[in-house]
Every structure is written in structure tokens, then in C-alpha cells.
Amino acid sequence: MKDKRTERLIRREERRQKRVVNLIASENYVSDDVREALASVFTNKYAEGYPGKRYYGGNEISDEVERLCEERALKLFKLSPKKWHANVQPYSGSPANFAVYLALVPTGGKIMGMTLSHGGHLTHGHGVSATGKLWEQVPYGVSKKTERLDYAELLRVAKKKKPHLIVAGFTAYPRKINFKKFRGIADAVGAYLMVDMSHFAGLVAGGAYPSPFKYADVVTTTTHKTLRGPRGAIIFSRKSEIRNPKSETNSKRKIQNSKVTIAQAIDKAVFPGLQGGPHLNQIAAAAVALQEADTPAFKKYAKQVVKNARMLAEELQKRGWRVVSGGTDSHLLLIDTWMRGRGISGKEASERLEKAGIIVNMNTIPFDTRKPMDPSGIRLGTPAETTRGVKEKDMKKIAAKIDAILKK
Ligand code: DSN
């Protein structure tokens, strides 16, 4: 590289990534092939529009790569192209979620999403996000007693507030989600069901977590977490007609006419609604990752991710740490490091761990009494270390190390 300064930073980051134990639940290490596609000449090309309908010339190969990515996305999750469409253009998870609301929820309409401090995401309608400014969030959380979803309470909230769209799928909820129950709640109030599977998409692909596709109208996912691809996102949407806007209440803006399908409305919302030209290099890299995920080796990987997370949770529990909800069914766990003042704050815990080469993020726990910038817990995840070949026996050692570092 001619630019030595940037090259040095890249090399330093490469060394840092190799040196540390990475327990950030949303990170992973992509293959050389994914990186090759990401750094390919597709980065030079503009391709506003969709395959076959572009605003620029020279897109015959771009069309092929985007179609390939769409096909592989549907195939990986066993979706019929007659019923489902995959839009592979979203730059990342936030614009993907935003585009869905733009397509399906009238401005000022209601999005029922999990509150951030219980494990939701900013783009599930949080007040500081544009999704909470253009739309109104109907927040829900976990039960105080079980720290798990309480579906009866969710139904009560939905009936009272009548949201236009309900979001299931979280960033810090370690348990399985009952998508069938979410469907029932959405149907009871005539809402769309959107599942944001960004965190656990790779586990769904690998058969290690329930699939939301039977129940959801729309499924969004980033491609860079458990799915182990480049940064980016995909929106899967049904080819069924969008609901009749006449039935919409509390809306300041009517949405599309009822002959439009959910998939068409979402395509329009992504481009030209929200984004410009797609990042074709990112799409090419996602195509590579989707094929990698469609292999027996990836299935094994996904199952190992969950086994590793379970082992980490059990070992930390044995050593006296409180694991939120009592354990995990997925790739992540939340540790209550504060333990009502008997332990240390999440910030101190993450700083101590980082000094010892273990990278985690501080995290609020449900009903946290502390502030988000210095919360009561940390979030741990196993996707990245599992990619490096870590197994349960290694997790036992990592748990022992974490325990020793966090003890007062
Ligand atoms: N920032 C991601 C996470 O860490 O969960 C979500 O977008």
C-alpha cells in the first residue's frame, strides 16, 4: 500500500484482532473469500435501481451478482421465490429496518418494539433514533420475574395500543423467541410482524435457533454477525398484498394502494426511498458468505456457537455470577456484574477485561438501576471465537479467566 499511515493502522488492527479473545456478540471473522469479494472491482460501479431496471449503463454483470445474492439468500433460508423476495441492497441493519417502516407504517403510526434497555435496538422505535421520531414506539420489555418475554403481557400491550407493526428479534435477549406467539399477537390487532434476526440469522441458517419465516411478514437481518459475511443487510419480504390503508387508524399519511405487495413496497422504500446506488462489492461478498453458510460445516459451526455460549454461562454461574434469565439458548449471554452492589459495574468489568485481552461490551440488564454509560452488566457472545475453532473446553478456561479478572 502506498499510503503507509493507513496501512500501518490496518496491520495494527489485524494484530489486535488476532491477539484478543473476542466476545463481542455481534462480531465475527469473515473468510478470505468474503474479503476478496469486498475488495473487488465491484466497488467501482454505480447501479441505482434493481437488476434489469438500472439508471446506469454497464450493469449486465452487476445484475448477475445481485440476482445471485438474492437467490442464495432465499435458498439458504429455504424460501420459495414465489412467496418471498430478498432485497440485498440495504447498506446495513439500521437502513434495512428504516426501509421496512417507510414501506409499511404510516408516518406517525405505531411500532411496537422492545425497549433498548431490555435488549431491543435503537431502530425498533427508540426515541433518539429517527424511527422513534417519525413513528411512535409502543415499548415492551421482559418479565421482571423471569427476565424472559411474557407473551400474555405483550398481547395486553398490543390490544391497548394497536400498533401497525410489531418487531420481534433483539440484540441482548439470550433466549429463544416464540415466533408463533408473536404472529398470534400481531393477528389479534391486525399488525404486521417484522422479525429482526440480525443477531441470530447464522443460527437460523445452521438450524441452531427457531426460524421466523413461517410466521413473519418481513424478516430483516444484517449479514455480518452470526451469518459471518460482510457488513450489510438483507430484507426478506412476502409477496402478499399490503393491507388496505382504509383500515389504518391514527395515521397522518396514507401508505401505498392495496394492490402493491409488501415486497414491492419495500423495494421502493429502499430505492429510491432511502438509499442511492447499492454497494455491489458488499453484495458480491454477501453472495459468497451466503454460500459458505449453506454447508454442513456452517451447520456444525452454528451449533458449536450455542454450545459454547451455554458452557460459558454455566461456568460463570458455577462461580457465582448472575446470568440474566438463568442462561442462554443462543450465541449470547448477559452477566449481571453489579449484582445490586456486591459486584462491579459493567463499565469497570469491560475495562478490566479489555486490559487482560478479553473484549466484551458493557450492557444494561433488564430493569437496570444504573445508567447506559455505566450499566449493571456485560454482554458476552461466542460467534467470533467459535469461528477461530474454540470449543467447550476452551470456554471453561475463558470463564475461569473472566471470573478471576472480575472478582473484586
Ligand atoms: N451494534 C449491534 C450490536 O452490537 O448488537 C446492533 O446493531
Side-chain angles (χ1 to χ4, degrees), residues 304-315:
Q304 190 63 50
V305 166
V306 178
K307 282 187 207 164
N308 284 350
R310 285 209 169 114
M311 180 57 79
L312 189 56
E314 279 167 26
E315 289 294 309

Side-chain angles (χ1 to χ4, degrees), residues 24 26 121 171 199 225 361 379:
I24 303 273
S26 47
H121 188 257
T171 65
H199 259 266
K225 297 186 176 89
N361 65 278
R379 185 184 67 166

Side-chain angles (χ1 to χ4, degrees), residues 374-396:
D374 191 10
S376 294
I378 52 174
R379 185 184 67 166
L380 309 179
T382 53
E385 286 306 311
T386 307
T387 292
R388 291 168 129 183
V390 160
K391 297 267 177 11
E392 289 101 312
K393 61 176 184 349
D394 311 298
M395 276 298 150
K396 283 188 181 179

Side-chain angles (χ1 to χ4, degrees), residues 68-88:
L68 179 69
C69 191
E70 290 172 359
E71 275 164 30
R72 286 182 177 174
L74 294 178
K75 181 172 172 283
L76 179 62
F77 294 101
K78 301 181 180 63
L79 302 174
S80 157
K82 286 199 185 105
K83 290 188 181 155
W84 286 88
H85 170 62
N87 185 314
V88 297

Side-chain angles (χ1 to χ4, degrees), residues 156-197:
R156 194 193 60 76
V157 173
K159 279 186 168 163
K160 188 168 166 214
K161 299 284 186 180
K162 300 206 170 20
H164 293 84
L165 180 144
I166 300 177
V167 185
F170 317 107
T171 65
Y173 183 71
R175 295 302 187 169
K176 278 185 190 150
I177 300 167
N178 188 328
F179 297 115
K180 190 177 178 186
K181 286 203 171 149
F182 264 106
R183 177 76 264 166
I185 295 164
D187 285 345
V189 297
Y192 289 109
L193 177 61
M194 171 182 129
V195 175
D196 179 347
M197 66 167 185

